[in-house]
Amino acid sequence: MDLGRAVFNAAIITISDKCQDAKWIDESGIAMQKILIAYGFSIKSYEIIPHKREVIKDRLITFCDDLKIDLVVTTGGMGVGPKDITPEATKQVIKKEIPGISEAIRCYGIQKAPRTMLFRGVAGIREHTLIINLPGSTKDAREALESILETVWQGLKVLKGVTSEGDRK
């Protein structure tokens, strides 16, 4: 396996009642696919699901345990509204939280938009899958993903045993 450009697979989950009901077009999920493909990921799944904790948990578990997806990104459900429960569902699924990823998203975003301090997304590992919550806004999700993607790629190489944490290549 080429240590420089290992191929990882990814899944995108958009959490949005309006997109699921076809009242809105899921621009953020589509944008996440384009970014991940351009970076070298193979997209294995893309879904739009409702703001329901058990549905979110079920899909995350399926992607991690059954489909063995390397990276799962979610978009939507990160705010302070009553339906925004994606971080809580994600926390119930992950085994190891990686707070630095979410902190980096907040730090990067707050430079451009103070509302980013309301972003409650989390990131963590379940088995051999990295799960990252991204904002629902297309612009915010795009900027967040692009700001962390190089480090995420390196983290996946370590998680998958392609390289060690000390390897800076």
Side-chain angles (χ1 to χ4, degrees), residues 58-72:
D58 175 69
R59 298 315 300 145
L60 290 173
I61 291 169
T62 297
F63 285 143
C64 297
D65 298 0
D66 300 336
L67 300 178
K68 310 288 189 222
I69 301 295
D70 299 318
L71 173 66
V72 177

Side-chain angles (χ1 to χ4, degrees), residues 88-134:
E88 289 76 19
T90 302
K91 283 182 181 180
Q92 291 182 313
V93 168
I94 60 176
K95 306 292 184 190
K96 293 182 188 176
E97 191 167 352
I98 306 175
I101 292 174
S102 298
E103 291 166 7
I105 291 170
R106 278 185 282 278
C107 287
Y108 180 83
I110 206 163
Q111 304 296 322
K112 297 171 181 262
R115 72 179 183 281
T116 303
M117 69 179 74
L118 299 175
F119 172 72
R120 301 180 315 107
V122 299
I125 297 168
R126 178 181 177 92
E127 305 308 328
H128 297 285
T129 303
L130 177 58
I131 301 170
I132 301 173
N133 297 154
L134 297 171

Side-chain angles (χ1 to χ4, degrees), residues 14-68:
T14 296
I15 294 99
S16 170
D17 295 338
K18 290 181 181 178
C19 289
Q20 195 213 17
D21 294 341
K23 293 178 182 173
W24 284 1
I25 295 172
D26 179 26
E27 294 176 8
S28 62
I30 294 166
M32 297 308 94
Q33 289 181 73
K34 290 178 181 177
I35 292 167
L36 290 170
I37 289 168
Y39 205 81
F41 283 87
S42 170
I43 305 300
K44 296 298 181 191
S45 184
Y46 160 64
E47 296 183 5
I48 302 171
I49 61 174
H51 287 272
K52 291 187 173 23
R53 185 185 307 248
E54 292 308 314
V55 174
I56 297 167
K57 286 171 46 181
D58 175 69
R59 298 315 300 145
L60 290 173
I61 291 169
T62 297
F63 285 143
C64 297
D65 298 0
D66 300 336
L67 300 178
K68 310 288 189 222

